[in-house]
Amino acid sequence: AQTVTQSQPEMSVQEAETVTLSCTYDTSESDYYLFWYKQPPSRQMILVIRQEAYKQQNATENRFSVNFQKAAKSFSLKISDSQLGDAAMYFCAYTSNSGYALNFGKGTSLLVTP
Amino acid sequence: ETGVTQTPRHLVMGMTNKKSLKCEQHLGHNAMYWYKQSAKKPLELMFVYSLEERVENNSVPSRFSPECPNSSHLFLHLHTLQPEDSALYLCASSQGTGEETQYFGPGTRLLVL
C-alpha cells in the first residue's frame, strides 16, 4: 500500500518570505504521480502543482515549485514570495497508473502573517 | 457553471432520514469520485465511476449508495446514517483514471444528529 506522510502539522511564514512544506511517500511502483493540493477555509480542494515521477525536472507553477527527490521518495513544496491568500491546508497526494485513488497525507496548515 | 459543483453545500439530517448529495462536472471528464474528509484523518476514497460504471467501492457501508446516471452527474444517496458519518464529502472528476489529475468540487458539509 502506498502511504503519504506530511510531518509538519502547522507552518508559519511571513508575507513575501519563502516557505517549504515537506512530504515523503512510500511506494513500490516505478510509474506514479505526485500532487500538491491547497484547501483554503472555503474547503475547495485546489490543485497547486503536479509532478510525473518519470520526469527529472522539478515542476514549477509561478511562485510554487517542488523539490522532487525520487530516490529519497521526497516531494517538498516551496512557496516563494508568500501572500496572505496562500494561507490554507496543503495536502500532498500520490497516485499511480495501477490504481484509482489519490492517496493523501494528513495535511500541513500554513499560516501567513503580515 | 464551470468546474465541479456540489449541492447542497451544507446538510443536517437525523439518523432516520434519507437524503442525497449531488455532484455535477462541466469539464467533459469520464471519471468521477466520492471522497470523505473527516477531522484529523486523511481523505478517504469512497467510490469511483469510470464511464458511468462503478470501478471501485472502497469498503463503504451500504448506508451510502452511489449513483452515476451519466458521465456528468454523480449522486450519493444517504440513509440511516450514524453520527460518525458527519464529515465533508468531496466529489472529484478526471479525464480518465490512473494518472489523470483530479479536480474537486467545494464539498458538502454533512452533520448527522
Side-chain angles (χ1 to χ4, degrees):
Chain A
Q2 296 85 17
T3 57
V4 178
T5 303
Q6 293 179 250
S7 58
Q8 306 152 316
E10 294 179 351
M11 291 283 285
S12 181
V13 64
Q14 274 195 311
E15 217 175 347
E17 296 296 309
T18 296
V19 65
T20 298
L21 309 183
S22 301
C23 173
T24 58
Y25 58 93
D26 185 27
T27 183
S28 57
E29 305 267 358
S30 58
D31 191 15
Y32 53 88
Y33 306 82
L34 297 162
F35 304 83
W36 279 97
Y37 281 88
K38 166 185 176 181
Q39 189 178 38
S42 68
R43 312 304 288 177
Q44 178 103 37
M45 194 75 77
I46 301 165
L47 177 70
V48 175
I49 202 163
R50 166 191 164 114
Q51 174 81 44
E52 292 84 356
Y54 62 83
K55 288 187 178 178
Q56 292 186 337
Q57 186 172 7
N58 289 326
T60 300
E61 287 288 341
N62 300 314
R63 297 183 294 107
F64 299 87
S65 61
V66 298
N67 184 4
F68 174 47
Q69 301 290 326
K70 191 171 184 178
K73 296 181 181 174
S74 169
F75 182 62
S76 60
L77 175 70
K78 185 171 83 171
I79 306 174
S80 304
D81 186 25
S82 296
Q83 300 175 358
L84 294 176
D86 295 333
M89 282 290 290
Y90 285 81
F91 292 94
C92 179
Y94 163 103
T95 192
S96 70
N97 281 332
S98 63
Y100 300 102
L102 273 173
N103 294 288
F104 284 84
K106 290 187 176 182
T108 296
S109 178
L110 179 66
L111 175 66
V112 182
T113 56
Chain B
E1 290 278 12
T2 59
V4 182
T5 58
Q6 290 185 242
T7 54
R9 294 294 307 276
H10 301 273
L11 179 62
V12 180
M13 59 187 290
M15 288 190 285
T16 58
N17 291 158
K18 290 184 180 181
K19 296 286 184 183
S20 295
L21 310 184
K22 178 183 176 183
C23 175
E24 184 173 0
Q25 59 96 0
H26 309 268
L27 300 169
H29 288 166
N30 293 316
M32 297 186 77
Y33 310 77
W34 280 116
Y35 286 88
K36 176 183 178 183
Q37 186 177 26
S38 306
K40 310 294 185 185
K41 293 175 70 175
L43 272 79
E44 303 168 71
L45 177 68
M46 300 177 72
F47 301 104
V48 181
Y49 277 81
S50 177
L51 296 171
E52 301 146 45
E53 294 217 4
R54 191 191 309 181
V55 296
E56 183 140 327
N57 175 355
N58 216 22
S59 303
V60 179
S62 59
R63 56 186 184 270
F64 295 91
S65 175
E67 180 189 0
C68 187
N70 55 62
S71 59
S72 298
H73 294 86
L74 184 65
F75 295 88
L76 187 63
H77 304 298
L78 316 171
H79 64 98
T80 59
L81 293 192
Q82 304 298 310
E84 59 265 29
D85 297 323
S86 299
L88 181 70
Y89 288 85
L90 291 166
C91 174
S93 73
S94 60
Q95 183 59 50
T97 56
E99 80 278 13
E100 297 289 343
T101 299
Q102 294 181 25
Y103 295 89
F104 286 80
T108 295
R109 172 68 67 187
L110 174 66
L111 177 62
V112 181
L113 300 175

